[in-house]
Amino acid sequence: KNQVEQSPQSLIILEGKNCTLQCNYTVSPFSNLRWYKQDTGRGPVSLTIMTFSENTKSNGRYTATLDADTKQSSLHITASQLSDSASYICVVSAPTGNTPLVFGKGTRLSVIA
Amino acid sequence: KAGVTQTPRYLIKTRGQQVTLSCSPISGHRSVSWYQQTPGQGLQFLFEYFSETQRNKGNFPGRFSGRQFSNSRSEMNVSTLELGDSALYLCASSPSTSGSFGPYEQYFGPGTRLTVT
């Protein structure tokens, strides 16, 4: 069964600190993996999209890594800011099957002063 | 460029009624997808439309349906509402030229918050 598991479910860090969010997936075949940031009450905003041939992709203070062999991805946030407080959702695209997009439940990040 | 717009933003309906939600994609985008988001299940894919054709569909009952017009605007309809349909319904548009979930950016609207009582 195609699944995306994210950890931790929630995380609290101090402003200025770094953190890493994890995403493990069992989706096969695999097309691409996306990370989204969703502020409370708003729609998700894309951070990165990675195909199976990409290992690392950065977007400002956000760096995503992908290991297609172990089916793991991580999102590293550097020098966190209060505005980073949000849910981070990992999404894997499967070109075949009933569900072309498989979503993780997200990691709720709280950055405190 | 204007972003994805969804109307209405909030809606309260009674069990058994039906509801229609609207989505206007970013100008030039022909791919529109719909999602349901609940605290328990997270985000779930409903369906995707490309050039007025449904290209992909998630695992939702037939009470959930949609359509896309020639100007790429899309509507989704839920008939015979159930309490469990209470959710945030999100629409996203994409510059995809094939209607598949390739490495194209998806731009989400603010969502419609549906409450079923």
Side-chain angles (χ1 to χ4, degrees), chain A residues 31-32 34 36 38 41-44 46 49 51 89 93 98-101 103-105, chain B residues 9 35 37 40-41 43 45 56-59 90 101-106 108-110:
Chain A
S31 173
N32 57 77
R34 306 155 183 257
Y36 287 97
Q38 185 175 24
R42 296 194 171 194
S46 177
I49 302 174
T51 63
I89 303 169
S93 172
N98 290 335
T99 307
L101 289 180
F103 291 84
K105 295 266 177 87
Chain B
R9 291 294 311 279
Y35 305 85
Q37 187 173 33
Q41 297 297 321
L43 267 165
F45 169 73
N56 290 287
K57 190 177 190 304
N59 294 325
L90 291 158
F101 287 102
Y104 297 98
E105 288 284 355
Q106 281 206 303
F108 283 82

Side-chain angles (χ1 to χ4, degrees), chain B residues 39-78:
Chain B
Q41 297 297 321
L43 267 165
Q44 293 182 283
F45 169 73
L46 279 159
F47 29 65
E48 183 209 8
Y49 285 87
F50 180 80
S51 292
E52 302 179 66
T53 302
Q54 186 179 90
R55 287 302 183 104
N56 290 287
K57 190 177 190 304
N59 294 325
F60 277 81
R63 299 186 297 108
F64 292 81
S65 63
R67 60 177 175 168
Q68 186 180 33
F69 302 95
S70 58
N71 61 358
S72 294
R73 190 177 70 84
S74 178
E75 289 182 346
M76 70 161 280
N77 184 278
V78 187

Side-chain angles (χ1 to χ4, degrees), chain B:
Chain B
K1 237 179 191 181
V4 177
T5 58
Q6 292 186 244
T7 57
R9 291 294 311 279
Y10 303 92
L11 204 49
I12 299 175
K13 289 286 189 178
T14 304
R15 230 177 349 175
Q17 288 186 315
Q18 73 150 16
V19 66
T20 298
L21 311 182
S22 181
C23 171
S24 292
I26 291 172
S27 177
H29 289 188
R30 289 189 288 162
S31 171
V32 175
S33 305
W34 287 90
Y35 305 85
Q36 182 195 66
Q37 187 173 33
T38 60
Q41 297 297 321
L43 267 165
Q44 293 182 283
F45 169 73
L46 279 159
F47 29 65
E48 183 209 8
Y49 285 87
F50 180 80
S51 292
E52 302 179 66
T53 302
Q54 186 179 90
R55 287 302 183 104
N56 290 287
K57 190 177 190 304
N59 294 325
F60 277 81
R63 299 186 297 108
F64 292 81
S65 63
R67 60 177 175 168
Q68 186 180 33
F69 302 95
S70 58
N71 61 358
S72 294
R73 190 177 70 84
S74 178
E75 289 182 346
M76 70 161 280
N77 184 278
V78 187
S79 62
T80 319
L81 284 166
E82 300 177 358
L83 295 179
D85 296 333
S86 294
L88 180 66
Y89 289 89
L90 291 158
C91 163
S93 76
S94 166
S96 167
T97 56
S98 62
S100 64
F101 287 102
Y104 297 98
E105 288 284 355
Q106 281 206 303
Y107 300 87
F108 283 82
T112 293
R113 173 74 63 184
L114 172 65
T115 301
V116 182
T117 62

Side-chain angles (χ1 to χ4, degrees), chain A residues 19-93:
Chain A
C19 68
T20 300
L21 314 181
Q22 300 290 343
C23 172
N24 296 340
Y25 61 93
T26 59
V27 178
S28 182
F30 164 89
S31 173
N32 57 77
L33 186 146
R34 306 155 183 257
W35 282 95
Y36 287 97
K37 176 188 178 189
Q38 185 175 24
D39 293 315
T40 302
R42 296 194 171 194
V45 174
S46 177
L47 294 174
T48 64
I49 302 174
M50 301 175 71
T51 63
F52 68 90
S53 61
E54 295 176 292
N55 299 121
T56 304
K57 204 157 194 179
S58 292
N59 178 358
R61 294 180 296 102
Y62 301 99
T63 299
T65 64
L66 173 64
D67 186 334
D69 291 331
T70 61
K71 297 187 177 180
Q72 295 179 326
S73 176
S74 65
L75 180 69
H76 186 75
I77 304 174
T78 303
S80 61
Q81 300 175 357
L82 298 177
S83 59
D84 292 331
S85 296
S87 287
Y88 292 83
I89 303 169
C90 175
V91 186
V92 179
S93 172

